[in-house]
Amino acid sequence: MNANANANANASTGAGASTGASVNPLPSPGGPRLPLDFTAFHELCSVPYRHFTCLRLADPDAAEATVCRAFADLAHQWARVLRCPRPAAVAWQLLSAHIAEALVQQGAALPPTVARTLYALMPEHQADLVLLRHLQGLSCEAIAELVGREPADVAYQLKAAHRCLAVRRLLTESRSAQRDLPGHHE
């Protein structure tokens, strides 16, 4: 059996799901056969999607369930997604929507995390890229492939995010220094 056929068999039968090696988008054994191009996309993206989602949700079980739901939705829309100019971008938007839904379900009792801090400080698309680059260690090229963007755009957005963080740090340090000045009144 070649690698693609093996991946397709694993994805359609649930093999590998118990090891955590891949997220099965359609968990029912004996379910419909998935297109090979979907299976290849799933195999390429399931681990980084799961890691990213776990960073966002801070709950591995919720992350696993969220990624499974996102891939199941993607499988149902796969033919339409392939007609789009950037299928990976559509898949990333779908994953992001499922993450947003899971965050709402988690409610206000969320513990503070680095990810939540980043999303409070900058636009979501930049925070996504910072997480992928700095907490998952992906290259700009790998990020671009994963989220359906050009590598140059990813690099530019990462630089913009770093500038945003640097400016915020400078402002925080400046405010702190001003409070320490004699005669300063709050």
Side-chain angles (χ1 to χ4, degrees):
M1 186 182 303
N2 70 32
N4 284 339
N6 190 28
N8 192 30
N10 285 344
S12 65
T13 64
S18 64
T19 65
S22 68
V23 177
N24 185 8
L26 299 172
S28 60
R33 301 285 290 172
L34 299 170
L36 284 177
D37 47 8
F38 176 84
T39 302
F41 183 84
H42 175 267
E43 289 299 314
L44 179 69
C45 297
S46 63
V47 171
Y49 275 22
R50 191 170 59 243
H51 290 167
F52 176 83
T53 305
C54 195
L55 288 169
R56 290 294 315 272
L57 301 180
D59 177 347
D61 293 333
E64 184 76 20
T66 299
V67 173
C68 282
R69 283 191 301 276
F71 270 116
D73 276 357
L74 185 60
H76 292 299
Q77 301 176 38
W78 189 244
R80 180 189 64 79
V81 170
L82 285 179
R83 290 190 299 271
C84 296
R86 294 190 177 265
V90 176
W92 188 258
Q93 290 170 346
L94 187 62
L95 175 66
S96 295
H98 279 275
I99 291 170
E101 183 180 306
L103 286 168
V104 168
Q105 289 174 356
Q106 283 183 332
L110 299 171
T113 65
V114 170
R116 289 193 184 95
T117 301
L118 280 173
Y119 286 87
L121 295 175
M122 65 184 61
E124 182 177 342
H125 70 280
Q126 286 180 346
D128 285 353
L129 300 177
V130 170
L131 285 181
L132 291 167
R133 176 72 183 110
H134 297 290
L135 295 181
Q136 284 188 250
L138 300 178
S139 68
C140 286
E141 293 76 17
I143 294 168
E145 195 172 309
L146 190 67
V147 302
R149 292 180 137 179
E150 292 295 324
D153 181 48
V154 169
Y156 174 81
Q157 291 299 324
L158 283 168
K159 285 181 184 174
H162 294 148
R163 281 192 302 271
C164 174
L165 291 174
V167 166
R168 289 182 181 276
R169 187 175 336 144
L170 180 65
L171 290 173
T172 300
E173 290 169 0
S174 175
R175 285 186 200 119
S176 178
Q178 283 181 340
R179 282 192 293 265
D180 294 340
L181 291 174
H184 181 266
H185 302 289
E186 298 259 342

